[in-house]
């Protein structure tokens, strides 16, 4: 694989700026997103999943030969437990990507894990060099969630938008000379609180005055429900970006 060395448009610099400001991706992978990713993989293909997540078992159940690399023994243990539950085989490697010595795979998958790497071009080069057919990357599309929009309206403040990380990934691949398709997929996410005050605080990222919390929850009432344990739950759609790059 030969990568372009032509001057770029600053996608990697933009990535570096947001990589220092945003937390590590910790959301559980939505089953619908897992199924979208699995649709790009054929039975019998080899898959390298960079981070222990729910997709490894989904791909294995679809007939792929899956290897997961992750530095966390706890996360790898959860993947191994899921594989045993569904009676499939997933190989686990405890190591920090891209320093692990791994074989080539047909498809390399990253779900939110690129944000661990400030040097995005180097991380993408390593992924591409391990992929024989396809690179799949999922990350935030940058669209504000419904509760963020409602809270901003109530406070009279601008809506904060995250960087569209999937576009920065696609742009950096273009700077490396690789053309990628970009699409958005919808994931279901949730926030839970033992009572209304705690739920509103978790939605806002800080405690809210009682009247403001009540108004926020009232405006989002159609998206609220009770869990079997009696806790309050807020479920909302989140937009993720999917980058599909043939190699």
């Amino acid at each position: 694989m030969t990568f372009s060395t032509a001057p770029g448009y600053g996608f990697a610099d933009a990535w570096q700026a947001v990589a220092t400001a945003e937390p590590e991706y910790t959301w559980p992978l939505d089953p619908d997103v897992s199924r979208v990713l699995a649709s790009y993989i054929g039975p019998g293909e080899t898959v390298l999943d960079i981070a222990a997540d729910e997709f490894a078992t989904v791909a294995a159940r679809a007939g792929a030969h899956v290897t997961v690399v992750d530095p966390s023994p706890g996360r790898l243990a959860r993947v191994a437990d899921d594989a045993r539950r569904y009676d499939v085989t997933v190989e686990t490697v405890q190591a920090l990507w891209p320093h692990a010595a791994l074989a080539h795979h047909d498809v390399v998958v990253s779900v939110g894990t690129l944000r661990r790497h400030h040097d995005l071009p180097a991380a993408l080069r390593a992924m591409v060099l391990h992929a024989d057919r396809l690179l799949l990357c999922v990350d935030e599309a940058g669209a504000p969630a419904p509760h963020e929009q409602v809270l901003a309206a109530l406070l009279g403040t601008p809506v904060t938008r995250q960087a569209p990380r999937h576009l920065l990934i696609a742009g950096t691949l273009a700077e490396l000379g690789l053309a990628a398709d970009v699409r958005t997929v919808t994931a279901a996410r949730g926030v839970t609180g033992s009572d209304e005050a705690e739920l509103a605080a978790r939605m806002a990222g800080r405690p809210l005055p009682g009247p403001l919390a009540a108004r926020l929850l009232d405006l989002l009432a159609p998206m609220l429900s009770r869990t079997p344990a009696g806790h309050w739950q807020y479920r909302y759609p989140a937009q993720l970006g999917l980058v599909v790059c043939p190699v």
Side-chain angles (χ1 to χ4, degrees):
M1 170 68 64
T2 301
F3 296 102
S4 172
T5 58
Y9 293 93
F11 291 106
D13 292 339
W15 177 274
Q16 201 166 49
V18 299
T20 59
E22 293 182 11
E24 183 175 333
Y25 188 94
T26 56
W27 290 101
L29 187 58
D30 184 90
D32 289 340
V33 178
S34 289
R35 284 189 284 271
V36 171
L37 289 171
S39 70
Y40 288 93
I41 298 168
E45 286 200 299
T46 57
V47 176
L48 176 60
D49 190 5
I50 301 175
D53 53 40
E54 297 83 351
F55 173 66
T57 304
V58 173
R61 293 176 68 190
H65 303 287
V66 183
T67 299
V68 175
V69 57
D70 195 293
S72 168
R75 288 194 292 259
L76 290 174
R78 286 194 292 272
V79 168
D81 288 344
D82 285 344
R84 284 191 291 270
R85 184 179 303 116
Y86 292 106
D87 194 26
V88 294
T89 299
V90 175
E91 181 184 355
T92 59
V93 178
Q94 186 180 344
L96 180 64
W97 173 265
H99 305 298
L102 297 168
H104 282 218
H105 290 69
D106 296 313
V107 182
V108 176
V109 180
S110 165
V111 180
T113 52
L114 281 171
R115 64 180 59 194
R116 299 175 185 172
H117 305 278
H118 288 190
D119 189 345
L120 182 59
L124 288 173
R125 286 189 196 98
M127 294 175 69
V128 168
L129 291 173
H130 280 79
D132 287 334
R133 185 178 71 82
L134 196 64
L135 174 65
L136 299 173
C137 298
V138 175
D139 215 311
E140 301 290 340
H147 62 282
E148 295 170 333
Q149 298 180 57
V150 171
L151 185 59
L154 291 174
L155 294 173
T157 58
V159 178
T160 301
R161 298 185 65 92
Q162 295 183 354
R165 285 179 169 270
H166 66 305
L167 297 182
L168 299 181
I169 293 169
T172 302
L173 286 167
E175 291 179 343
L176 295 174
L178 297 166
D181 291 327
V182 177
R183 60 177 292 191
T184 56
V185 292
T186 301
R189 287 184 175 168
V191 180
T192 303
S194 58
D195 54 33
E196 293 176 315
E198 183 181 29
L199 178 64
R202 289 187 172 179
M203 292 162 66
R206 64 186 187 280
L208 295 177
L212 179 59
R215 183 59 175 154
L216 173 66
L217 297 181
D218 181 58
L219 291 171
L220 295 169
M223 307 171 81
L224 303 182
S225 63
R226 291 274 197 170
T227 68
H231 294 166
W232 283 99
Q233 180 175 251
Y234 162 61
R235 299 279 290 175
Y236 66 97
Q239 293 299 308
L240 302 180
L242 170 61
V243 179
V244 182
C245 181
V247 298

